[in-house]
Amino acid sequence: MQLQNDLLLRAARGEKTERTPVWLMRQAGRILPEYRAVRNSVSGFIELAQTPELAAEVTIQPVDLLGVDAAIIFSDILVIPEAMGLPYEMVEKRGPWFPDTVSSPSDLKKLRIADGHNDLKYVIDAIKITKKELNGRVPLIGFAGAPWTIFAYMVEGSGSKTFSKARAMLYTQPEFSHQLLQMITDSTINYLRAQIEAGADLIQIFDSWAGILPPYHYEEFSLRYIQQICDAINEVPKTVFAKGAFFAREQMAKLNCETIGLDWNMGIAESRRMIGDNKTLQGNLDPAALYGTAKEVEAATKQMLDQFGTSRHIANLGHGVYPDIDPEKVKVFIETVKAYSIR
């Protein structure tokens, strides 16, 4: 299907664009009253994500209501461990929780390498429905968590400020850690391939807990597996977003991907020097900037755009939009990018 708006894909590939494309991480979520209405119609987040028609509905909402240049499928990075045989629960105001965890080689026997088409059929069905209903208006982004981030949850059992159990595992059981990471990686490749076959136009890898590792562990236990995923997926452009991995930007420049996402702590000019001109940069306004007045949001957005310049940039926040931010401020950010970045 011919896309009516392919700005995101052209920017990712380094082609000329009439203006800078813009979307937001977590755009399909709690900032929108329309999203909350859909979520309140079911038991919670997991049922919503596992109901393809409803997942498609909330995926499309930001396109209609905010005017973003891309949709991102409504799902969660933790669908991979569940598909591998390690289910999780989403506890209100606490986040994900795994009743069982993985802590020894014997636990690997309980897991399987996930098949993207069957084990995660509800996500694939949601992508197919979304593609049909978008009808070519904007691209659809598929995604998965980076293997290290998934590993961290599978070992720790929940979110954590330190992920000390998961980090300890890299020191005390490195061979086991690599075995589990490889299983996650193989599952993720299967999953992303199924997303692309279903219609995803671009995929993003989220390494949410990249920044808690020391550089030598990040290279061994995260980047090498992200590289495997990037090398395995060649059908669509790829974005790698590694929150907090400021120390790995030069190494990320060598990844077989088109776009590197920057968090709000990464200097733009410095990142461009370290990553070079052969990659598109995505980001990276501080989400907290959207708490300002409309004029302050506009000024901060223009300042960010000036720093990125007019080529190889996809405008976004430096992390997901916070749930208590006024949707009208989000619209100011989006509309400022559209108006100010016209070439």
Side-chain angles (χ1 to χ4, degrees), residues 67-101:
V68 287
D69 291 312
I72 181 166
I73 193 66
F74 182 82
S75 185
D76 191 78
I77 62 171
L78 297 179
V79 299
I80 279 287
E82 183 156 71
M84 293 175 66
L86 197 74
Y88 73 107
E89 300 171 8
M90 193 64 77
V91 181
E92 194 68 32
K93 296 184 179 179
R94 285 188 57 193
W97 179 70
F98 286 83
D100 298 309
T101 59

Side-chain angles (χ1 to χ4, degrees), residues 246-251 253 269-276:
F246 63 92
F247 50 80
R249 283 173 288 177
E250 289 183 345
Q251 292 164 293
E270 178 188 59
S271 297
R272 178 56 78 191
R273 285 195 303 272
M274 297 175 79
I275 294 170

Side-chain angles (χ1 to χ4, degrees), residues 219-236:
E219 183 172 6
E220 180 179 355
F221 294 104
S222 185
L223 267 184
R224 67 187 281 183
Y225 294 102
I226 292 175
Q227 180 68 71
Q228 278 190 44
I229 296 168
C230 288
D231 287 346
I233 304 291
N234 293 305
E235 298 86 350
V236 300

Side-chain angles (χ1 to χ4, degrees), residues 23-287:
W23 70 282
L24 294 90
M25 291 179 279
R26 292 187 185 155
Q27 65 187 17
R30 292 170 288 178
I31 62 164
L32 295 173
E34 292 83 357
Y35 163 83
R36 292 194 294 271
V38 176
R39 177 164 171 169
N40 290 339
S41 71
V42 293
S43 61
F45 174 89
I46 290 179
E47 185 182 353
L48 175 53
Q50 292 182 350
T51 307
E53 294 79 10
L54 296 182
E57 182 179 347
V58 296
T59 296
I60 295 170
Q61 283 176 349
V63 179
D64 294 333
L65 300 170
L66 301 175
V68 287
D69 291 312
I72 181 166
I73 193 66
F74 182 82
S75 185
D76 191 78
I77 62 171
L78 297 179
V79 299
I80 279 287
E82 183 156 71
M84 293 175 66
L86 197 74
Y88 73 107
E89 300 171 8
M90 193 64 77
V91 181
E92 194 68 32
K93 296 184 179 179
R94 285 188 57 193
W97 179 70
F98 286 83
D100 298 309
T101 59
V102 183
S103 59
S104 68
S106 62
D107 291 332
L108 297 180
K109 297 174 185 175
K110 306 172 190 175
L111 303 177
R112 62 182 178 274
I113 294 172
D115 172 274
H117 290 283
N118 299 309
D119 294 323
L120 288 156
K121 186 176 184 297
Y122 59 90
V123 181
I124 305 310
D125 288 345
I127 289 175
K128 291 176 180 176
I129 294 168
T130 302
K131 281 292 286 188
K132 183 178 180 181
E133 294 187 1
L134 279 174
N135 197 28
R137 282 189 289 159
V138 295
L140 177 61
I141 302 169
F143 72 90
W148 154 249
T149 287
I150 302 303
F151 174 102
Y153 281 107
M154 292 176 77
V155 172
E156 202 79 21
S158 66
S160 166
K161 290 183 179 179
T162 62
F163 280 97
S164 53
K165 291 179 185 176
R167 287 165 53 216
M169 198 73 74
L170 307 183
Y171 290 97
T172 60
Q173 298 190 63
E175 186 176 344
F176 158 76
S177 297
H178 280 302
Q179 287 178 309
L180 177 54
L181 284 162
Q182 190 61 59
M183 290 182 72
I184 296 168
T185 301
D186 293 342
S187 299
T188 302
I189 290 170
N190 290 342
Y191 179 42
L192 290 173
R193 282 177 171 159
Q195 289 187 46
I196 293 164
E197 288 177 28
D201 299 292
L202 179 147
I203 59 107
Q204 177 157 316
I205 300 165
F206 286 87
D207 205 355
S208 305
W209 297 110
I212 64 173
L213 291 179
Y216 59 93
H217 266 178
Y218 190 67
E219 183 172 6
E220 180 179 355
F221 294 104
S222 185
L223 267 184
R224 67 187 281 183
Y225 294 102
I226 292 175
Q227 180 68 71
Q228 278 190 44
I229 296 168
C230 288
D231 287 346
I233 304 291
N234 293 305
E235 298 86 350
V236 300
K238 296 150 288 193
T239 299
V240 175
F241 174 68
K243 186 175 183 293
F246 63 92
F247 50 80
R249 283 173 288 177
E250 289 183 345
Q251 292 164 293
M252 287 193 284
K254 301 172 186 175
L255 290 171
N256 179 18
C257 67
E258 286 72 20
T259 302
I260 300 294
L262 306 181
D263 68 37
W264 75 90
N265 290 309
M266 296 177 181
I268 295 168
E270 178 188 59
S271 297
R272 178 56 78 191
R273 285 195 303 272
M274 297 175 79
I275 294 170
D277 296 326
N278 294 324
K279 295 261 192 275
T280 297
L281 299 182
Q282 178 174 277
N284 72 334
L285 188 70
D286 182 355

